Amino acid sequence: MTEQIIIIGSGPAGLTAAVYAARAGMEPLVIEGLAAGGQLMLTTEVENYPGFPDGVLGPEMMDLFRKQAERFGTRFITSDVTRVDLSSRPFRVWVDSDEYSAETVIVSTGASAQWIGVPGEEKLRGHGVSSCATCDGFFFKEREIVVVGGGDSAMEEALFLTRFASRVTVVHRRDEFRASKIMADRVLHHPKITVRWNTVVDSILGDGSVTGVRLRDTITGTVSDLAVEGVFVAIGHTPNTALFTGQLDLDARGYLLTFKGTATSVPGVFGAGDVVDSTYRQAITAAGMGCQAAMDAERWLESLESTE
């Protein structure tokens, strides 16, 4: 059996695409992955998604997305896609040895935050450790926090967080930022920001929530503890596009390239969410792109049928 549409990924983009595709009668099959739900599964509370005036837990919101898609007839496979062949239609998608085929495919595999990999980081994710200032900055009003990184993303995070935090300490392993001069200058001259040069985070301290970080000077080897209540890791994201290398056009950083909406370099394959978007990376922008991708896929199938 050839599906009308297969959606790979189950974050806000993939599940919104599923809602729209299901309501259009396309009977979508979502291969949601073992890490179903995307990065929101690592977020404790979401307060900036419209419709939730009291906030909502990230996993709870993704469960609601999934139930809504399921209500309209979406089917799910809770496994990872291991291989794809997008060279001809119907497109072929494998989950281990099981093969599925589809007339259209939506890629919504997201992007993964890069983490520093120190003790305490994984345990305290969502409890003071974050990779998204826009998502979580509001929870750190009048608190001292650390931002790890030295690129433009780290500068943007640090500057944004000064709206809430009483003090922001930028920890950078080198003696100068990789960021653009204008962004670096803004950080260096901001009264609420302190920079710790030639310094790395050796561990994140706390039991249940962040209470501090253990820092190490990379030149002297001196170790010291800094009391903070939040750690924002801003060393970049990696788009989850390894499956599609050599089959779909990617930009220099590995993000999926789209044209005229959500179309990719292969007609009939569409992209949505953080796998495409390196700029905003928000649940609401991902959901919007998921809507677009489903509508683009539906119209593409209709145009195909009219010419066959």
Side-chain angles (χ1 to χ4, degrees), residues 132-143:
C132 179
T134 309
C135 310
D136 300 325
F138 179 81
F139 302 113
F140 293 87
K141 283 186 174 180
E142 298 306 315
R143 300 183 184 184

Side-chain angles (χ1 to χ4, degrees), residues 32-212:
E32 60 182 345
L34 294 173
Q39 293 190 73
L40 279 180
M41 300 300 285
L42 305 175
T43 302
T44 48
E45 192 160 9
V46 179
E47 289 193 331
N48 58 1
Y49 198 94
F52 296 95
D54 298 319
V56 60
L57 296 177
E60 181 185 349
M61 187 166 83
M62 295 321 299
D63 184 54
L64 291 170
F65 271 49
R66 192 184 192 278
K67 285 176 178 174
Q68 188 170 358
E70 200 167 27
R71 173 191 166 197
F72 296 114
T74 300
R75 292 158 296 136
F76 292 89
I77 295 173
T78 309
S79 293
D80 291 329
V81 172
T82 51
R83 184 161 62 102
V84 298
D85 182 356
L86 306 177
S87 60
S88 61
R89 288 182 41 247
F91 305 117
R92 296 191 291 167
V93 177
W94 284 266
V95 175
D96 295 321
S97 60
D98 295 331
E99 181 182 339
Y100 303 87
S101 61
E103 295 296 334
T104 59
V105 169
I106 291 177
V107 177
S108 53
T109 47
S112 301
Q114 296 176 23
W115 299 98
I116 48 181
V118 299
E121 180 181 52
E122 185 173 356
K123 179 180 71 173
L124 293 168
R125 271 184 217 165
H127 300 278
V129 175
S130 173
S131 63
C132 179
T134 309
C135 310
D136 300 325
F138 179 81
F139 302 113
F140 293 87
K141 283 186 174 180
E142 298 306 315
R143 300 183 184 184
E144 297 196 15
I145 59 175
V146 155
V147 173
V148 182
D152 277 345
S153 293
M155 303 299 101
E156 290 170 8
E157 300 271 283
L159 290 164
F160 179 81
L161 288 165
T162 60
R163 303 179 190 183
F164 310 103
S166 59
R167 168 64 51 184
V168 176
T169 301
V170 176
V171 174
H172 186 45
R173 60 184 176 176
R174 299 189 178 93
D175 59 0
E176 62 179 359
F177 290 134
R178 293 177 288 105
S180 59
K181 186 177 185 303
I182 187 169
M183 294 299 293
D185 285 347
R186 286 175 184 169
V187 164
L188 292 171
H189 293 99
H190 199 288
K192 291 176 75 172
I193 298 177
T194 300
V195 179
R196 295 284 296 265
W197 301 108
N198 300 309
T199 301
V200 294
V201 175
D202 266 356
S203 62
I204 299 173
L205 310 175
D207 185 12
S209 62
V210 171
T211 58

